[in-house]
Amino acid sequence: MKGRIERFKEWMEGQGIDVSIVLKPQDVAYLSGWAPVCSGLLVFREAPPVEVCIWLDAPAGKRNRLPLRMVGYRFPESSMAEKMAELIRERLASPRVIGIEKDFMTLRFWETIQKAFPKASFVPITRTLDEMRAIKTPEELRCLKKATLMAEVGMKAALASVRPGATEIDIASEAEYAMRRAGSEGVAFGTLVASGPRALLAHPYASSRRIGRKDVVVIDLGAKYRGYSSDLCRTAFTGEPSRKQKEFLKILLQAQEAAFRAARPGVKTEVLYEEARKVLAGRGYDRYLPDDIGYGSGLRQSEFFPVVLKGGQDVLQPGMVIALFQTTAYLRELGGIRVEDQIVVGERGYRRLSTLPQPVYD
């Protein structure tokens, strides 16, 4: 963790940032190794970092021998923002530049900091942390592989429970219990189970809807291991799928494989999108494809660097992990069929994290 903080501080030096306020749990965990609920991290350019958390949690951080100072605050007598402002004043009477995650910091938090330091300017730090987190170490890749194996256990349980009359929640509960039994720390995201018309929704969390006799059932789930998130999606059917559904599922798998084959160091993400689009275009499905089809993965199942999208300029590097398709060609008569897997970008190509096949219903 120390090396990560030092690299971040080097970047801060180049930007003239005196102190950065890190609040996003995944960023706090990445830099410090621990992110309890309601915690944040102060990274000073010229002083050791300080992690701030609810006072009851501070002793646990000290017992874990984290390489930084732990400071607790008592809520509601104080807030994390007030405690951080106090700690900044101890080291910097009047910071000139403060780094913030403006995609995560609340307005109330920012108002507290801005009031404490009215002469300071604020600059975004999110993109830099996203780029740092995108390149995985061998240990991070090992954690992601473990999380994927747990997700496969959950997916097998979910697929086995798909039947007419079962609710989407029934299927999700089977998957989540199986992942927990396999060692998952929790779900990487709210388990998505979508049947019938709900399969066309963007984020269809499992509902009380009962599965019909001729439904498409889309299952998207993930497990967590040491904070790292897997992401796996498979499509099932109750009853015999139509000829067009079978055809589209095969084409979707071909498009996914074409995109994966293009994943090499130095390649822009627009190339992956275009390779997938060309396969879908062979049957006219490309016009139903959204502009984004994949995202990076790590401490969060969907990171914002790199992003696989139309015209995407993010450049792939060894050690990146990406997941696609996170979207699909949305066409009502097909029923929102989706397939998603994570891959690791290697020096000469890619490696799948999941080996659980998607049934093709020949």
Side-chain angles (χ1 to χ4, degrees):
M1 304 303 169
K2 187 176 180 181
R4 295 172 181 178
I5 288 177
E6 292 307 316
R7 282 191 289 128
F8 184 55
K9 289 172 73 169
E10 287 176 7
W11 176 80
M12 288 172 56
E13 176 76 31
Q15 302 298 310
I17 298 173
D18 298 306
V19 59
S20 289
I21 300 173
V22 183
L23 300 177
K24 191 181 297 183
Q26 293 86 1
D27 290 337
V28 175
Y30 180 79
L31 291 172
S32 77
W34 191 54
V37 175
C38 299
S39 67
L41 185 66
L42 290 173
V43 181
F44 294 92
R45 188 175 71 198
E46 297 180 352
V50 181
E51 186 157 356
V52 179
C53 62
I54 292 176
W55 65 279
L56 288 168
D57 292 335
K62 294 173 183 176
R63 286 196 299 271
N64 290 336
R65 298 181 180 179
L66 296 179
L68 39 75
R69 179 185 170 197
M70 298 293 304
V71 175
Y73 66 94
R74 288 178 178 264
F75 184 85
E77 302 159 33
S78 181
S79 69
M80 182 162 58
E82 291 167 341
K83 176 57 71 173
M84 283 190 161
E86 175 189 324
L87 291 166
I88 292 171
R89 278 197 211 93
E90 288 179 4
R91 291 159 177 75
L92 302 166
S94 182
R96 292 175 301 169
V97 183
I98 299 175
I100 63 171
E101 296 168 303
K102 64 180 184 179
D103 62 322
F104 196 84
M105 181 180 283
T106 65
L107 177 59
R108 177 181 294 177
F109 198 112
W110 180 82
E111 287 176 341
T112 300
I113 300 298
Q114 199 277 333
K115 183 178 180 181
F117 307 107
K119 295 182 180 179
S121 59
F122 297 85
V123 298
I125 61 174
T126 299
R127 178 69 176 190
T128 295
L129 289 170
D130 284 347
E131 291 180 358
M132 285 180 62
R133 284 169 46 201
I135 310 297
K136 307 299 188 294
T137 64
E139 176 58 21
E140 288 179 293
L141 293 176
R142 188 183 75 83
C143 290
L144 282 164
K145 179 63 178 179
K146 289 275 287 186
T148 300
L149 293 173
M150 295 168 187
E152 290 182 337
V153 172
M155 184 61 75
K156 289 176 183 177
L159 292 171
S161 66
V162 172
R163 64 185 184 280
T167 68
E168 294 173 353
I169 291 174
D170 290 337
I171 296 169
S173 65
E174 292 293 334
E176 291 174 13
Y177 179 66
M179 289 191 292
R180 281 288 198 178
R181 288 291 300 269
S184 178
E185 299 161 354
V187 293
F189 51 93
T191 302
L192 309 181
V193 180
S195 60
R198 295 189 71 253
L200 291 167
L201 298 175
H203 299 98
Y205 297 114
S207 76
S208 59
R209 183 184 186 275
R210 293 194 179 277
I211 310 299
R213 293 188 177 279
K214 292 186 177 181
D215 273 352
V216 174
V217 183
V218 177
I219 304 166
D220 193 349
L221 53 77
K224 290 182 76 72
Y225 180 74
R226 294 190 178 179
Y228 287 84
S229 300
S230 54
D231 195 354
L232 183 66
C233 181
R234 295 291 182 264
T235 297
F237 301 87
T238 53
E240 183 71 11
S242 69
R243 181 188 59 80
K244 288 200 71 171
Q245 286 174 328
K246 292 178 182 179
E247 175 192 75
F248 177 71
L249 180 54
K250 291 178 182 178
I251 292 171
L252 190 64
L253 289 167
Q254 292 168 9
Q256 183 195 53
E257 183 63 25
F260 284 162
R261 284 199 303 267
R264 299 183 302 278
V267 172
K268 292 181 179 179
T269 56
E270 65 177 351
V271 175
L272 278 65
Y273 181 93
E274 181 60 19
E275 290 301 310
R277 188 202 64 79
K278 286 192 294 187
V279 174
L280 292 168
R283 288 289 193 276
Y285 293 122
D286 59 315
R287 62 187 134 165
Y288 305 107
L289 188 67
D291 287 349
D292 62 318
I293 60 172
Y295 293 81
S297 294
L299 288 167
R300 192 173 184 274
Q301 90 282 359
S302 296
E303 304 280 17
F304 295 101
F305 181 84
V307 180
V308 181
L309 76 167
K310 184 178 181 179
Q313 296 300 296
D314 295 340
V315 179
L316 299 182
Q317 299 178 53
M320 285 184 171
V321 176
I322 57 175
L324 61 85
F325 287 100
Q326 290 201 351
T327 56
T328 186
Y330 293 98
L331 187 60
R332 188 170 299 280
E333 64 184 283
L334 297 174
I337 294 169
R338 302 182 216 184
V339 177
E340 183 181 12
D341 293 276
Q342 292 168 303
I343 63 164
V344 180
V345 179
E347 293 287 350
R348 298 182 180 179
Y350 76 94
R351 169 170 59 89
R352 283 180 182 263
L353 287 176
S354 174
T355 59
L356 182 68
Q358 162 67 54
V360 292
Y361 302 94
D362 285 324

